[in-house]
């Protein structure tokens, strides 16, 4: 039986990324269930080779690595490639170097943690579980960020090595299982759908007050999170433009990302007076933000061929917000939204279609808002809880020991 576990990721609170927050929720739930978790994460800001801290009653080892966030793509790639080797070297210097764990669990992205996971598995003679939240470099190829040349195959090498050190892989959606058909041929390998998870947060103060914004007293469509090329943010501005004549509807975009300046300029050029951009806020403020809103926005680039259940989808549901989702064709998210009636979803990016769906959703909320909100919260609790994730991971690890 699994009694102790080490969780590995390239980010952990106080980082505000969705990966960091998910790992914190997972670690807290392991602890609640009587399994002792230790978190190991990379951190360019620590002094010396690393430091041990405690957060939420959980031991966290932060290992010194090169900076790999908020830098240029080439520098980031080099830093991430080097990261696991820095982690191995600095782990050997840490007070935990002789600690024994019953299992290793790690989170991807990034795809480059494989060598460190291999090292930990060898030291502990234990099984491992890969929580895979996107399939890279496949999605980058789909979006045209890289071509099928040396760079692509270089990344594929790290991707394959990462899979080779996993006993279990938990993907986001049923549609991703086909990608691993050949990998899962061994009796010692298990591939399964591991739904995203999020622990409900209590309502607290939010530094963004919609009543003080130009879109006050409107039905608010909100997007909170990363604004980059993978998110298909242009479609959301197209939706905002389609609803410009509706003075009772507003759009709020909160977060960071590579495309945010371009999006602001695009919104200005389109004359989107119904749209407001705000800087990223602390994750603890998100429930307070969503309490002021009515619909959660999701957009995924049309060129995606892999399946993706965004973390923000869970946070919307937990707050009782139905979603307006513009996604890639064939994504499993479509069937989830339609089956459970938690919003509107489309792959048709025509402005007329987007306007019609959004207005239908607003009408539904006006006539049946309480029931829709309860359905969203119920689905979040049933399918996307931290408890369900920990139960599944623990069961899978015990089955391959």
């Amino acid at each position: 039986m699994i009694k102790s576990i080490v969780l590995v990721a390239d980010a952990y609170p106080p980082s505000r990324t969705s990966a960091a927050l998910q790992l914190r929720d997972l670690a807290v739930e392991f602890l609640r269930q009587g399994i002792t978790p230790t978190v190991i994460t990379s951190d360019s800001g620590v002094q010396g080779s690393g430091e041990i801290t405690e957060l939420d009653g959980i031991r966290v080892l932060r290992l010194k690595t090169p900076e790999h966030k908020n830098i240029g793509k080439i520098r980031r790639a080099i830093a991430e490639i080097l990261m696991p080797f820095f982690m191995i070297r600095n782990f050997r210097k840490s007070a935990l170097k002789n600690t024994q764990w019953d299992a290793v669990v790690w989170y991807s992205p990034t795809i480059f943690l494989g060598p460190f996971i291999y090292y930990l598995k060898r030291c502990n003679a234990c099984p491992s579980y890969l929580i895979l939240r996107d399939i890279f470099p496949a999605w980058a190829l789909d979006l045209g960020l890289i071509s099928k040349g040396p760079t692509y195959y270089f990344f594929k090498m790290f991707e394959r090595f990462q899979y080779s050190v996993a006993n279990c892989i938990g993907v986001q959606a049923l549609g991703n299982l086909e990608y691993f058909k050949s990998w899962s041929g061994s009796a010692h390998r298990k591939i399964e759908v591991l739904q995203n998870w999020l622990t409900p947060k209590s309502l607290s103060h939010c530094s963004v007050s919609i009543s003080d914004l130009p879109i006050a007293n409107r039905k608010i469509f909100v997007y909170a999170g990363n604004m980059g090329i993978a998110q298909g943010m242009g479609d959301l501005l197209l939706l905002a433009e389609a609803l410009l004549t509706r003075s009772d509807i507003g759009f709020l975009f909160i977060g960071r990302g590579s495309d945010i300046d371009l999006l602001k300029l695009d919104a200005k050029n389109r004359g989107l007076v119904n749209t407001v951009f705000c800087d990223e806020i602390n994750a603890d403020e998100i429930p307070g933000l969503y309490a002021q809103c009515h619909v959660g926005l999701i957009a995924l680039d049309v060129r995606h061929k892999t399946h993706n259940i965004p973390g923000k989808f869970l946070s919307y549901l937990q707050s009782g917000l139905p979603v307006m989702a513009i996604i890639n064709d064939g994504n499993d998210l479509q069937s989830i939204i339609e089956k459970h009636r938690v919003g509107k979803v489309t792959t048709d990016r025509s402005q007329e279609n987007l306007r019609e769906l959004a207005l239908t959703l607003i009408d539904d909320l006006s006539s049946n808002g309480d029931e829709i909100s309860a359905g969203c919260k119920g689905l979040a609790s049933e399918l996307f809880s931290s408890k369900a994730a920990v139960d599944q991971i623990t069961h899978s690890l015990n089955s391959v020991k």
Side-chain angles (χ1 to χ4, degrees):
M1 295 292 292
I2 303 294
K3 295 183 178 180
S4 64
I5 202 161
V6 57
L7 298 166
V8 183
D10 72 342
Y12 198 75
S15 169
R16 298 176 181 178
T17 66
S18 59
L21 299 176
Q22 281 196 298
L23 261 292
R24 180 184 66 183
D25 288 348
L26 201 68
V28 169
E29 181 59 26
F30 271 116
L31 184 64
R32 192 192 69 79
Q33 293 195 20
I35 298 172
T36 304
T38 300
V39 173
I40 300 179
T41 186
S42 62
D43 193 328
S44 64
V46 298
Q47 300 298 315
S49 60
E51 63 182 26
I52 298 174
T53 60
E54 186 174 296
L55 185 63
D56 304 311
I58 295 160
R59 183 172 57 184
V60 181
L61 172 60
R62 303 180 187 275
L63 296 174
K64 181 79 169 183
T65 60
E67 175 60 59
H68 62 278
K69 303 288 187 182
N70 303 315
I71 57 176
K73 293 178 181 178
I74 295 177
R75 286 180 59 206
R76 176 176 177 175
I78 294 171
E80 289 200 33
I81 290 166
L82 294 174
M83 176 176 62
F85 303 102
F86 273 81
M87 293 177 77
I88 292 170
R89 185 189 69 180
N90 291 329
F91 177 77
R92 288 171 173 166
K93 300 178 182 178
S94 76
L96 302 184
K97 63 182 179 181
N98 295 319
T99 305
Q100 291 292 300
W101 292 285
D102 296 326
V104 180
V105 176
W106 83 104
Y107 188 102
S108 175
T110 173
I111 64 168
F112 297 105
L113 286 172
F116 184 54
I117 302 304
Y118 175 79
Y119 174 80
L120 289 176
K121 283 190 66 177
R122 191 180 62 185
C123 292
N124 291 272
C126 67
S128 63
Y129 194 110
L130 167 60
I131 301 169
L132 187 64
R133 299 296 88 172
D134 69 31
I135 298 177
F136 181 86
W139 71 260
L141 182 69
D142 294 341
L143 269 58
L145 300 180
I146 57 176
S147 60
K148 212 165 190 178
T151 300
Y152 171 77
Y153 289 107
F154 180 73
F155 288 145
K156 285 291 289 184
M157 177 180 66
F158 282 93
E159 179 197 22
R160 290 192 184 105
F161 183 75
Q162 168 169 258
Y163 301 154
S164 75
V165 297
N167 297 104
C168 308
I169 298 179
V171 297
Q172 287 197 79
L174 282 170
N176 295 139
L177 296 179
E178 183 66 24
Y179 187 85
F180 291 91
K181 195 171 182 179
S182 60
W183 178 88
S184 58
S186 167
H188 300 290
R189 290 177 171 179
K190 183 175 183 179
I191 180 73
E192 62 187 8
V193 175
L194 176 70
Q195 299 285 7
N196 258 331
W197 65 90
L198 201 63
T199 299
K201 303 296 188 297
S202 58
L203 200 63
S204 60
H205 168 75
C206 180
S207 56
V208 175
S209 174
I210 293 176
S211 62
D212 296 331
L213 300 177
I215 53 175
N217 302 314
R218 302 189 186 201
K219 297 291 185 182
I220 303 300
F221 286 67
V222 63
Y223 178 96
N226 187 53
M227 301 183 208
I229 190 168
Q231 280 68 44
M233 297 297 296
D235 292 321
L236 297 183
L237 294 189
L238 191 67
L239 173 63
E241 185 177 41
L243 295 169
L244 258 176
T245 58
R246 289 291 298 257
S247 59
D248 60 328
I249 296 175
F251 290 81
L252 177 61
F253 297 94
I254 291 187
R256 54 182 167 71
S258 60
D259 286 3
I260 190 165
D261 291 334
L262 291 174
L263 290 167
K264 288 179 179 178
L265 180 61
D266 192 10
K268 181 179 179 181
N269 291 338
R270 292 174 186 252
L272 300 185
V273 294
N274 61 346
T275 301
V276 172
F277 288 85
C278 292
D279 292 336
E280 181 183 28
I281 60 176
N282 191 289
D284 294 334
E285 300 180 61
I286 291 293
L289 171 69
Y290 290 166
Q292 306 172 68
C293 302
H294 303 86
V295 176
L297 291 168
I298 293 172
L300 294 172
D301 193 288
V302 66
R303 294 168 292 179
H304 278 296
K305 294 179 182 177
T306 54
H307 299 259
N308 188 2
I309 312 295
K312 63 177 62 62
F313 175 56
L314 281 64
S315 61
Y316 293 150
L317 294 184
Q318 281 187 350
S319 295
L321 295 185
V323 300
M324 174 73 187
I326 309 167
I327 63 174
N328 53 308
D329 191 30
N331 195 312
D332 285 352
L333 184 60
Q334 182 166 2
S335 61
I336 294 174
I337 294 172
E338 291 177 342
K339 177 182 177 181
H340 298 280
R341 299 180 181 179
V342 290
K344 300 297 180 183
V345 57
T346 185
T347 60
D348 179 354
R349 286 157 161 78
S350 67
Q351 200 166 53
E352 180 180 352
N353 177 63
L354 296 180
R355 174 183 168 85
E356 181 180 343
L357 281 181
L359 293 180
T360 300
L361 182 53
I362 289 296
D363 289 342
D364 290 346
L365 286 173
S366 297
S367 61
N368 204 19
D370 290 343
E371 185 175 332
I372 293 173
S373 180
C376 292
K377 292 178 180 178
L379 179 60
S381 177
E382 177 186 354
L383 289 185
F384 302 110
S385 70
S386 300
K387 180 182 183 306
V390 166
D391 288 345
Q392 184 175 341
I393 291 170
T394 304
H395 178 269
S396 295
L397 285 168
N398 281 321
S399 71
V400 298
K401 284 191 71 174

